[in-house]
Every structure is written in structure tokens, then in C-alpha cells.
Amino acid sequence: MANLAPLDEEITLAQLDLDPYPIYRRLRAEAPVVRVRAAGRTLLTKATDTKYVKDQPGIFSSDDPNTPMKRAFGAHTLMRKDGAAHLRERNAMAPAFNPKVITNDWMPRYEAIARDYVSRLPKGEVIDLFPALSGPYAARGLAIMLGMDEASDDEMQRWSQALIDGAGNFGWQDAPFARSDAANAEMNALLDSLQARHRAEPNNSALAVMINADDPIEESQIYANIKIAIGGGINEPRDALNTVVYGLLTNPDQLNEVRRHDDWDKAFEEAVRWVAPIQASSRLVTEDTEIRGYLIPKGDTVMTIQASANRDEELFENGEVFDVYRAKAPHQAFGNGPHFCMGTHVARRAVGKVMLPILFERFPNMQLPDPAKVLWRGFGFRGPITLPVLLQ
Ligand code: HEM
């Protein structure tokens, strides 16, 4: 019988929140499979292992009843289902993410929003790009493609944060659930009020395609999955935009090359490799199994650390460095397997193709006056929490 993976009792959640990368680098070298007491989970930090786990949903289930996510969403979303039940709900929403629909319906809207929001930014001042642009841009685009244009940017961001905080409320405190309950009530009321419009005028938004399907899924699941898109579709494009702007402004040579060759999409891809907006995912182990010779017992929860996989020395030379022109290798920022991110193409295009060229055209000499003022946070989700830039 194989041994359990080594137990680490030193790593704290606070360290992982502040800067997990030196820890992951050490773990990849010394203990790529490790039980971290503070996280209550087995962490996997090598790219082969994180991909393997996500590609084996029969052994590593997404349906983990031990997380507060169900409580926060008041529902069992598609993200926490397996097999046919998962596919049925994923397929229900898929027409809104079809590449043609993205090109014809969503990108013209994203472009109009990008121009509008960038044109409102003041010239010659230092402003925090996070609240002034990245957050609202991600919120507005998502509201439109989900079919809830009536929600304000502030509401979308507040609901998203309430769902995330609730889903991450592993201490089962009352206050985060009170906030997610209030957000759910507001979202439900809005979704109820939107049904008549979408029935009268069918369109390609996620809400409309699910409501108007020939064989629709249950209304409760339509709402639950709209909410998973709200909880999982704002902060990642926002953090990716902040990260890529930081990466380019701190590497002016690369910015010049990117500008010259119109390589904004490459810059986006490198940014999400470098600092994955979703750093870690959990899977519940359904049968005794082994990884790297260690016993992973049934009932254990493993965490795939895609943040670490994306810097794995076996795939990436100098992975700690932002380098748009590095040798190409597959990163895992959008996950793997049946739960691969539904918003991949939307996010790539909304940030890489649309926003970056518009932003750098309007402010060709944008600068980071003090890179040390850019604070990075996050263990589950990660990105700059402030991005003060001089717009010029
Ligand atoms: C840079 C931007 C984004 C990144 C890095 C990202 C990353 C991810 C990752 C890693 C997963 C898989 C989680 C897991 O395996 O447990 C995921 C799932 C998902 N993402 Fe994204 N995401 C981004 C943008 C978006 C956007 C814009 C939307 C919606 C418009 C979206 C909708 C979803 C949905 C619905 C799922 C669940 C899919 C399923 O369970 O089958 N994402 N995302």
C-alpha cells in the first residue's frame, strides 16, 4: 500500500494569499504532491498532475458537497456537476458562446463599450485602472452577453463579489452568506422581470437561449448557471486586463514589439499564463488512487494549482518572468477537461483583440509611476487589487 503524501504544517493561507509563487516553486521541486494542513487539501503543483486530475472526472469529481458554494448560490450549479448532468446544463448555455455569435453579436458590443469607457478616462492624471476601467468593462460586456443589460456595472460587480465571497466562505460565517442571499434575491427578481422580453424577442444571450430552448432545463438551473457566469465571468477578465497592462508597462521593450506586430492577443495569453486569474480548483476523490506513487484516498479533496502548472520548469523556461515572446507551451489558465472555461474565446477577444489596442492607442505613453504601489493578492483568484497608471 502506497504512503500518503507528505504533510505540510507550515504554509499558511495568508502566505498563499500574499505571494504563493515562491512556495509553489519550492513545492514543485521538493513536494509536488503535498497535504497542506492550512488548506485542508492535497495540493498538486506540477502541470502533468493538474491536467491529469481535470481530465479524469470519474476519479476526481467536481461534485464536492463539502464546499460552501451550494449554500452561497442557493443551488447546485453546472460547475459542481459531473457527467451527463453537467453536459446537459453546459449545452443549454453553449449557443451564447458559439464562435459565430461571439463574432457577430458580442464583439461589436464589446468594442463599443471599450471605446466609450476608454474615452471617459481623464488624460494626464494618475488613476487606478481597476475601478475606472477593468472592473466596469468586464461587468458591462458580461451583462450584455448574459442578456441582463438592465443590471448596472456596480450591481454586476457587487453580485459577483458576493457570490465569490459566499462560495469561499469556508469558515461558514453568517455575514458572507447574508450578502450572497441578498444578492441572490436581487438577481432572481431581475431575471424574473427579464423573461417576458427574451420570450418576445428571442436573441443569442445566455438567458434567452436557455429560456427559449425546445427542451429547456429547469428554471432554477437556468438562474443558477447565469449566476455561475456572473461569479466566474467578471473578475477573471478584469484581473487578466490588469495583469497584462502591468506586464506590458513594466516591460517597455515587449510593449514596443507587441505594438509593432499587433500582438495584443499574444500579450493576453502570456498574462494569464504568468498570473492565472483562477489559480486553483478543487476536485473530490471518489476512489482510492495514486499520484506520483502517493496514496490519494477516497474522500480527500485535491487542489489543482494551475498557477503553478503555468510556471512549471518542465514546460516553461524562466516561467516566473513575463515574456510575450517565450517559446510556446500549453498553459492551463482556462482549465482542462469537461469543465474547460466556457468564456475562453470571449475573454481572449474582449481583452486581447478589443480592449488592449484601443487603450494603448488612446494613451500611447501610459506609465506606471510606481510599480511598487501595485498590490497583488489572492490564493483562489489572483490579480492586482490596485493599478495606478499615468494616462498620457
Ligand atoms: C481571463 C478570463 C477567464 C479565465 C482565466 C477563466 C478561467 C476558468 C477556469 C480555470 C475554469 C475551470 C474551473 C474548474 O475546472 O473548476 C473556468 C470555468 C468556467 N468559466 Fe471561465 N475564465 C475566464 C473568463 C470567463 C468568462 C468571461 C466567462 C463567461 C462569459 C466564463 C465562464 C465560465 C464558466 C460558465 C465556467 C464553468 C464551466 C463548466 O463547469 O463546465 N469564464 N473558467
Side-chain angles (χ1 to χ4, degrees):
M1 187 56 130
N3 291 325
L4 289 171
L7 177 68
D8 179 288
E9 299 188 278
E10 318 240 295
I11 297 170
T12 65
L13 292 180
Q15 288 169 344
L16 292 171
D17 183 59
L18 202 60
D19 185 7
Y21 285 110
I23 296 173
Y24 294 153
R25 187 184 200 158
R26 177 172 60 77
L27 291 177
R28 284 194 302 277
E30 295 171 7
V33 184
V34 63
R35 291 176 294 143
V36 175
R37 185 178 294 284
R41 284 162 161 59
T42 301
L43 267 57
L44 305 172
T45 47
K46 293 287 283 178
T48 321
D49 300 341
T50 53
K51 178 165 172 12
Y52 168 73
V53 162
K54 290 208 168 174
D55 284 341
Q56 304 292 331
I59 308 176
F60 303 101
S61 166
S62 290
D63 192 355
D64 183 351
N66 306 320
T67 74
M69 188 170 185
K70 252 188 206 167
R71 170 68 186 80
F73 280 72
H76 197 33
T77 74
L78 68 90
M79 221 175 141
R80 289 260 167 253
K81 291 189 175 182
D82 292 324
H86 165 249
L87 201 60
R88 172 172 173 264
E89 293 189 20
R90 190 171 158 112
N91 285 343
M93 196 150 68
F97 294 89
N98 172 301
K100 271 205 186 113
V101 170
I102 296 176
T103 302
N104 297 333
D105 291 36
W106 309 139
M107 283 311 123
R109 304 287 303 272
Y110 270 98
E111 189 164 338
I113 302 162
R115 291 199 185 284
D116 180 24
Y117 282 22
V118 167
S119 74
R120 290 187 208 168
L121 297 174
K123 249 192 175 150
E125 290 180 28
V126 176
I127 59 131
D128 184 352
L129 215 57
F130 180 122
L133 182 69
S134 317
Y137 176 62
R140 184 78 342 240
L142 190 73
I144 287 169
M145 72 164 296
L146 294 183
M148 44 201 305
D149 318 32
E150 289 81 349
S152 71
D153 296 351
D154 285 346
E155 282 171 330
M156 290 294 287
Q157 292 178 87
R158 183 164 53 75
W159 294 336
S160 177
Q161 199 55 50
L163 290 172
I164 290 171
D165 292 345
N169 183 18
F170 287 92
W172 296 80
Q173 306 291 316
D174 291 337
F177 288 143
R179 282 198 299 276
S180 57
D181 287 348
N184 275 305
E186 290 174 28
M187 285 184 280
N188 290 343
L190 176 63
L191 294 172
D192 285 344
S193 78
L194 293 175
Q195 289 212 24
R197 165 163 83 78
H198 287 304
R199 283 186 210 283
E201 297 164 29
N203 59 78
N204 290 321
S205 69
L207 185 55
V209 298
M210 287 196 281
I211 293 174
N212 296 324
D214 292 340
D215 179 18
I217 61 172
E218 304 75 20
E219 185 187 270
S220 59
Q221 289 312 112
I222 294 179
Y223 285 18
N225 295 332
I226 288 287
K227 290 174 193 169
I228 197 70
I230 296 175
I234 294 183
N235 56 331
E236 301 90 345
R238 175 199 73 200
D239 293 350
L241 177 56
N242 289 331
T243 300
V244 67
V245 168
Y246 176 91
L248 290 171
L249 294 181
T250 49
N251 293 278
D253 294 352
Q254 292 184 44
L255 173 57
N256 283 339
E257 282 296 288
V258 165
R259 215 195 295 262
R260 195 167 24 219
H261 302 291
D262 215 14
D263 281 338
W264 304 104
D265 46 354
K266 284 202 179 101
F268 168 81
E269 218 60 41
E270 171 61 359
V272 296
R273 178 209 65 84
W274 185 51
V275 181
I278 299 187
Q279 299 245 303
S281 309
S282 294
R283 294 292 188 267
L284 184 67
V285 182
T286 59
E287 59 186 74
D288 284 1
T289 186
E290 284 185 22
I291 297 179
R292 284 183 196 265
Y294 293 114
L295 170 67
I296 309 289
K298 177 177 174 175
D300 196 9
T301 302
V302 292
M303 269 197 138
T304 62
I305 310 289
Q306 39 269 5
S308 174
N310 283 0
R311 296 189 181 194
D312 190 334
E313 294 71 13
E314 280 181 39
L315 288 174
F316 303 98
E317 204 178 319
N318 294 329
E320 312 290 328
V321 172
F322 177 86
D323 178 4
V324 175
Y325 294 100
R326 65 171 51 257
K328 223 174 159 1
H331 70 69
Q332 299 184 23
F334 294 108
N336 279 296
H339 290 273
F340 186 80
C341 175
M342 293 189 79
T344 306
H345 301 299
V346 181
R348 273 192 179 129
R349 296 178 64 176
V351 177
K353 285 271 183 220
V354 173
M355 175 51 89
L356 288 177
I358 290 175
L359 179 62
F360 280 93
E361 185 185 274
R362 166 105 176 124
F363 302 111
N365 298 312
M366 189 174 13
Q367 277 175 20
L368 263 186
D370 187 356
K373 282 222 173 99
V374 180
L375 303 177
W376 298 77
R377 287 289 181 281
F379 166 47
F381 300 99
R382 191 169 183 84
I385 55 168
T386 50
L387 187 61
V389 293
L390 173 59
L391 295 172
Q392 53 188 11

